[in-house]
Amino acid sequence: MRLLLVEDNYFHADLIRQGLIEELPRLEVTIISSEQEFRMRLAELAVSPPDVILMDISLTWTHDRRDRSPAPEDVRLGGFYKDGFRCQQLLERGEKTRSIPLILLSVIDLAEFEREFQSLPANVRAMQKQTDQKALAALIGKMVGL
C-alpha cells in the first residue's frame, strides 16, 4: 500500500512514518514537507494516486531556502493556519484525485475546525496526532478496505 504523508514537521513525519510501518509492514511512505511541494506534485498524484493521504492541517508554505518564491494569493489571503483544508480542496477539484482517502491530522484540538469539518466529503476523515500510531493505522485500514 502506498501512503503520501504531507507533514512539515520532520519529527512528526518520522514518528508517524515509523509507527505506521510497524503497524502496516508493507506500507510505502512518501513524505511531502510543504504546501508548495504538494501543489507542485499535484499533477503527479493524478497520474499515480497513492492509496491514502495523511495531511497535516497546518502546513508551512515552503522549506526551500533557495526558492523563497512568494505564496500565491489564495495562500496569502487564506493564511497558514488551515493549509491542509486548502490542499484538500485542490484534491477535490481533480477528477482523479477527489476520491483518494484523506486523513487530516492536527496537534490542535479538532474542535477548532468544527466548521470546516461540516463540509468535507465522505472520503475525508480527521484525527488528532498521537505518539502511538495504532489508531491511525486502524483508520487507514478501514478507509482503504484492509
Side-chain angles (χ1 to χ4, degrees), residues 122-140:
N123 65 307
V124 180
R125 301 283 186 279
M127 180 175 252
Q128 197 77 42
K129 286 183 185 175
Q130 301 172 10
T131 54
D132 183 337
Q133 305 309 317
K134 285 181 179 23
L136 181 56
L139 179 58
I140 290 168

Side-chain angles (χ1 to χ4, degrees), residues 76-135:
R76 287 192 311 275
L77 293 175
F80 300 95
Y81 176 58
K82 300 177 182 178
D83 308 72
F85 292 109
R86 192 167 40 244
C87 292
Q88 179 272 324
Q89 291 169 352
L90 292 171
L91 288 167
E92 195 172 332
R93 290 182 197 145
E95 184 178 324
K96 295 186 178 185
T97 57
R98 73 173 50 112
S99 62
I100 300 171
L102 172 66
I103 301 172
L104 295 166
L105 300 170
S106 183
V107 294
I108 300 168
D109 184 348
L110 295 181
E112 294 284 325
F113 307 110
E114 188 174 323
R115 188 183 62 190
E116 288 81 5
F117 291 149
Q118 292 174 2
S119 62
L120 293 176
N123 65 307
V124 180
R125 301 283 186 279
M127 180 175 252
Q128 197 77 42
K129 286 183 185 175
Q130 301 172 10
T131 54
D132 183 337
Q133 305 309 317
K134 285 181 179 23

Side-chain angles (χ1 to χ4, degrees), residues 3-143:
L3 180 141
L4 174 63
L5 174 58
V6 185
E7 171 62 64
D8 62 349
N9 182 299
Y10 297 113
F11 174 76
H12 289 172
D14 193 51
L15 182 71
I16 292 167
R17 185 184 62 76
Q18 295 275 56
L20 288 177
I21 288 173
E22 287 177 20
E23 296 297 318
L24 304 165
R26 302 170 99 202
L27 190 65
E28 296 174 31
V29 179
T30 300
I31 299 174
I32 290 178
S33 64
S34 70
E35 183 178 359
Q36 180 186 45
E37 183 182 358
F38 176 80
R39 286 174 178 238
M40 289 177 2
R41 295 179 65 180
L42 200 53
E44 175 186 324
L45 295 177
V47 172
S48 180
D51 297 299
V52 64
I53 298 174
L54 303 181
M55 181 158 323
D56 188 8
I57 290 175
S58 299
L59 291 168
T60 188
W61 169 246
T62 185
H63 284 296
D64 191 347
R65 293 173 190 221
R66 297 169 309 230
D67 178 20
R68 281 296 204 192
S69 57
E73 185 176 359
D74 65 324
V75 174
R76 287 192 311 275
L77 293 175
F80 300 95
Y81 176 58
K82 300 177 182 178
D83 308 72
F85 292 109
R86 192 167 40 244
C87 292
Q88 179 272 324
Q89 291 169 352
L90 292 171
L91 288 167
E92 195 172 332
R93 290 182 197 145
E95 184 178 324
K96 295 186 178 185
T97 57
R98 73 173 50 112
S99 62
I100 300 171
L102 172 66
I103 301 172
L104 295 166
L105 300 170
S106 183
V107 294
I108 300 168
D109 184 348
L110 295 181
E112 294 284 325
F113 307 110
E114 188 174 323
R115 188 183 62 190
E116 288 81 5
F117 291 149
Q118 292 174 2
S119 62
L120 293 176
N123 65 307
V124 180
R125 301 283 186 279
M127 180 175 252
Q128 197 77 42
K129 286 183 185 175
Q130 301 172 10
T131 54
D132 183 337
Q133 305 309 317
K134 285 181 179 23
L136 181 56
L139 179 58
I140 290 168
K142 182 178 178 181
M143 290 182 76

